[in-house]
Amino acid sequence: MQNIKNIFSFYQSSGVYDRVILKGKNVQNQASLENLIEKVTCLKDYYNKKENQLVFSDGHFDTKIMVIGDAPNVSDEVTGKPFSGEVGILLDKMLNAIQLDRTKIYLTNIVNFRLPDNKKIEDADIKKFKPLILEHIKIINPKIILLLGTSVLNTLHMHQSISKARGKWLELKIDDCIYNCMPSYHPSFLLRQPQQKRNSWEDLKKFKKKIIEDNLC
């Protein structure tokens, strides 16, 4: 339990705790998140990490909109927040373009520790983290989820090409609940392939349309 207290001290000092946990105002879900953080932290030795290198989440706990990326980068590890640095700047611009920001959504990654040399997520990582991200989704219980990148798409759905699946609504079933998901390009990919920003914008417009139709924000 001391380890968990240390983690929450870290989040509280970084501001993440206030934004994510306390604003939820839901004791049961808060306990569930604390339990999930404990489970994730148990993997730190496998990734040769310390507790304060955990990158768990950012944004608003009590939301119906969730964004899931693949794994933290160096900037994320430093700030303790997913989608930081240059990647985060681009994502913030993408969100602002559809009248969203981090205070209105919940952000996390499939993997919550930075991988060595920022390598891609492998099957071993998916095996360890897939049950945890499914539990994470159940706790937040969003109405819609934006899946950013091929690794996220392949973790939560059958292996598909992101170029073919992007912009389409897919259903993710967890127990008796069904979540509407839209895959799109990860901001890190868009930084390398800026010509794809046009397609990403088309996806975002569809995502915004769903938000308006379902009165989610």
Side-chain angles (χ1 to χ4, degrees):
M1 287 303 297
Q2 185 59 45
N3 288 342
I4 294 301
K5 290 180 180 178
N6 291 340
I7 294 169
F8 274 93
S9 294
F10 167 72
Y11 279 123
Q12 196 167 22
S13 66
S14 66
V16 178
Y17 185 93
D18 292 336
R19 291 195 303 276
V20 176
I21 304 297
L22 295 182
K23 286 187 178 182
K25 299 180 181 179
N26 185 313
V27 175
Q28 182 177 355
N29 279 8
Q30 178 178 333
S32 297
L33 266 185
E34 292 175 7
N35 182 58
L36 179 59
I37 290 175
E38 184 173 10
K39 292 179 182 178
V40 174
T41 306
C42 288
L43 296 174
K44 66 181 177 62
D45 291 338
Y46 178 83
Y47 289 96
N48 195 27
K49 298 294 181 179
K50 298 178 181 179
E51 290 174 355
N52 63 0
Q53 292 176 303
L54 171 67
V55 181
F56 189 69
S57 65
D58 193 23
H60 198 303
F61 176 93
D62 189 14
T63 182
K64 296 301 179 183
I65 305 169
M66 190 171 187
V67 176
I68 303 177
D70 46 20
N73 59 33
V74 175
S75 296
D76 299 344
E77 191 173 66
V78 171
T79 63
K81 306 174 188 177
F83 299 101
S84 297
E86 192 175 10
V87 169
I89 291 173
L90 178 54
L91 179 62
D92 289 343
K93 289 180 179 179
M94 293 163 62
L95 295 174
N96 290 338
I98 55 172
Q99 291 75 53
L100 287 179
D101 60 56
R102 290 174 185 252
T103 67
K104 298 177 182 179
I105 63 175
Y106 186 91
L107 305 97
T108 191
N109 285 310
I110 295 292
V111 174
N112 299 120
F113 290 107
R114 184 173 68 85
L115 300 175
D117 300 319
N118 294 320
K119 68 180 180 66
K120 293 183 179 180
I121 295 176
E122 298 178 347
D123 290 343
D125 304 308
I126 293 175
K127 184 177 180 180
K128 292 179 181 299
F129 274 96
K130 184 173 182 176
L132 300 174
I133 189 61
L134 294 179
E135 182 176 347
H136 207 159
I137 293 170
K138 286 174 61 179
I139 293 170
I140 301 304
N141 193 32
K143 293 293 184 182
I144 58 175
I145 308 174
L146 187 62
L147 309 178
L148 296 179
T150 300
S151 295
V152 184
L153 175 63
N154 291 341
T155 298
L156 298 177
H157 288 275
M158 298 297 292
H159 286 267
Q160 301 183 53
S161 166
I162 188 70
S163 61
K164 293 181 179 179
R166 52 149 286 270
K168 299 178 181 178
W169 286 105
L170 306 176
E171 290 187 347
L172 171 64
K173 186 175 182 181
I174 307 176
D175 297 334
D176 295 327
C177 296
I178 294 178
Y179 302 92
N180 291 312
C181 305
M182 178 179 287
S184 190
Y185 294 123
H186 195 285
S188 62
F189 173 79
L190 296 176
L191 289 171
R192 299 191 303 271
Q193 302 286 341
Q195 68 273 17
Q196 293 295 341
K197 289 182 179 180
R198 182 173 183 177
N199 286 328
S200 176
W201 172 234
E202 294 301 319
D203 301 342
L204 289 172
K205 288 192 291 184
K206 294 177 184 177
F207 197 74
K208 177 63 175 180
K209 182 181 178 181
K210 182 71 171 176
I211 292 173
I212 295 173
E213 290 175 349
D214 293 355
N215 193 28
L216 300 181
C217 187

